[in-house]
Amino acid sequence: MAALLVIVACHSQDTSCLDEPVSVVSYDSVTQCFMALPKELDQARKLTNIVYGDCVPVDAELVAGKSIRQTINPNRLTAWSSQAAGDDAVNPQAMLPLAQDIPIPLDRYGSLPE
């Protein structure tokens, strides 16, 4: 299985998250994705303080021969973070659960299990 790393930004004063991901990056395997997760989260925190990331398994054929790396326009984050809490213009972002058969480390942001 290949994987897509998806990072979203969330508002510090309410429970909403921006409806556009901060970044989406493709990896050849779930393991590679989890290894890159801490570094990618650190990079995203340079744009906004509260970010969440996860590796979503996908069929390897969907990303075969492609290198996906999309990043949000920083101006979009600035405009969003300056909005007052509870503004209806910000829609929540749903995070999908991972497939059950993929081994997941207990500490999602630490090292991979051996």
Side-chain angles (χ1 to χ4, degrees):
M1 303 253 349
L4 291 175
L5 186 149
V6 180
I7 297 177
V8 296
C10 297
H11 201 283
S12 61
Q13 297 180 2
D14 63 29
T15 59
S16 68
C17 295
L18 189 62
D19 59 356
E20 179 182 349
V22 172
S23 67
V24 176
V25 185
S26 64
Y27 292 92
D28 292 334
S29 72
V30 175
T31 301
Q32 288 176 341
C33 185
F34 277 115
M35 289 174 60
L37 182 58
K39 180 180 176 186
E40 292 290 339
L41 286 171
D42 287 343
Q43 289 290 88
R45 284 188 190 103
K46 292 177 182 176
L47 299 173
T48 186
N49 291 335
I50 300 179
V51 294
Y52 298 98
D54 206 349
C55 293
V56 181
V58 296
D59 187 331
E61 290 184 20
L62 293 174
V63 295
K66 301 175 189 170
S67 178
I68 299 169
R69 182 165 196 92
Q70 295 179 322
T71 305
I72 194 171
N73 181 331
N75 292 333
R76 174 106 163 93
L77 282 173
T78 302
W80 174 70
S81 63
S82 66
Q83 292 175 343
D87 188 342
D88 291 335
V90 177
N91 297 320
Q93 171 73 39
M95 294 298 287
L96 300 175
L98 292 175
Q100 297 298 322
D101 58 345
I102 304 295
I104 305 300
L106 292 176
D107 179 2
R108 298 296 289 260
Y109 306 105
S111 60
L112 290 173
E114 306 215 3

